[in-house]
Amino acid sequence: MSLDLGSRQRAMLAEMGLRIFEPLPHPGMDTPPEPARQAAGKPALSAGVVQPIQPAPREMAHEPVVSRAGIDLMEWDALEKAVASCRACQLCDGRRNTVFGVGDRHADWMIVGEAPGENEDLQGEPFVGQAGKLLDNMLKALGLDRHHKVYIANVLKCRPPGNRNPEPQEVAQCEPFLRRQVELLQPKIILAMGRFAIQSLLGSPEPIGKLRGRAHQYMGVPVVVTYHPAYLLRNLAEKSKAWADLCLALEVMRAQPVAPAR
Ligand code: URA
C-alpha cells in the first residue's frame, strides 16, 4: 500500500499504533536499495508502507518470575528482591522504582494504601507526597512514626500510569506480595486506607461508610478501614471520621494479646 499522507493523517495513524516507513532519499535512484534487508531474505520496503509498531521484546514478556508458592516461603529480603524484579504485569514497563514498603519489620501497626504515585515511584518509598505528609501527621497524633512501630505498604508495588485506578488483574498479580508482607510482619492491627486497600484485603465491594466503625479480619489480623489520605485532602470535613477510625484502630490494637518477643 503506497500512501501520500498529510501530517494530520500521520498523527492519526501514529495514535492507532501504526507508523509509516519512509526510506531516506537516495541520490540518483528512484527506489533506494536495501541490501541489509534483502540479504536477510526480508521483502523490500517501499515508501508509504503502513506497518504495525512492534513492541520491544522486553515489553512483551509480562509473566510472574516466581510462583505464588515460592513467594509464600520468602523472607523479607528475598521478597523485596522478588518485587524489584517482578514483571508479572504491564506496570513494570513504566516504573522507575518498585515501592516495596517502609518501616519497622516488627511493627504492631500496618498501614495499607493503594499504589505508588509519581513521588513514590521516583523515591521508591510509599506515601512521600502530600497524602504521605497527612499520613505522617495522623501517625504522629497517635505517637507513631513511619520508621517506628509502623510498617507501610501498598496493594500495588508499581505506579499505575497517570495515577489511574489499579486494574483487577494488577491487584491479583501483586496480592501474593502483600499477603506475604502481612504473614511476615504479623501486625496487631491493619489500617486499610481507601477503597482499593479495603477491597483487596476484605474482598468486599461495600462502600467505606458501611465498613467503618468495627474490626474486620485479614489472615487472622484485625483490620480497621478508613478513608485514603488523598481523599481527606480533598474532603477536609471527613478528617474527623478518619480520626475516629484511628482511635478505633488504637483500641483494637491495645486489646490484642501480648505476642511473645520476636
Ligand atoms: N497513595 C497511596 O495509596 N500510596 C502511596 O504510596 C502514595 C499515595
Side-chain angles (χ1 to χ4, degrees), residues 6 51 54 59 64 75-76 83 110 118 126 140 152 161 173 216 219 251 255:
Q51 294 188 312
Q54 295 297 324
E59 289 172 0
E75 295 300 320
W76 280 111
V83 166
M110 182 172 197
E118 185 177 15
K140 203 167 157 193
I152 306 175
Q173 291 291 356
H216 307 265
M219 294 174 64
E251 207 179 294

Side-chain angles (χ1 to χ4, degrees), residues 241-258:
K241 291 186 188 164
W243 177 242
D245 298 335
L246 289 187
C247 292
L248 172 64
L250 184 62
E251 207 179 294
V252 173
M253 198 278 292
R254 285 188 174 151
Q256 295 305 299
V258 178

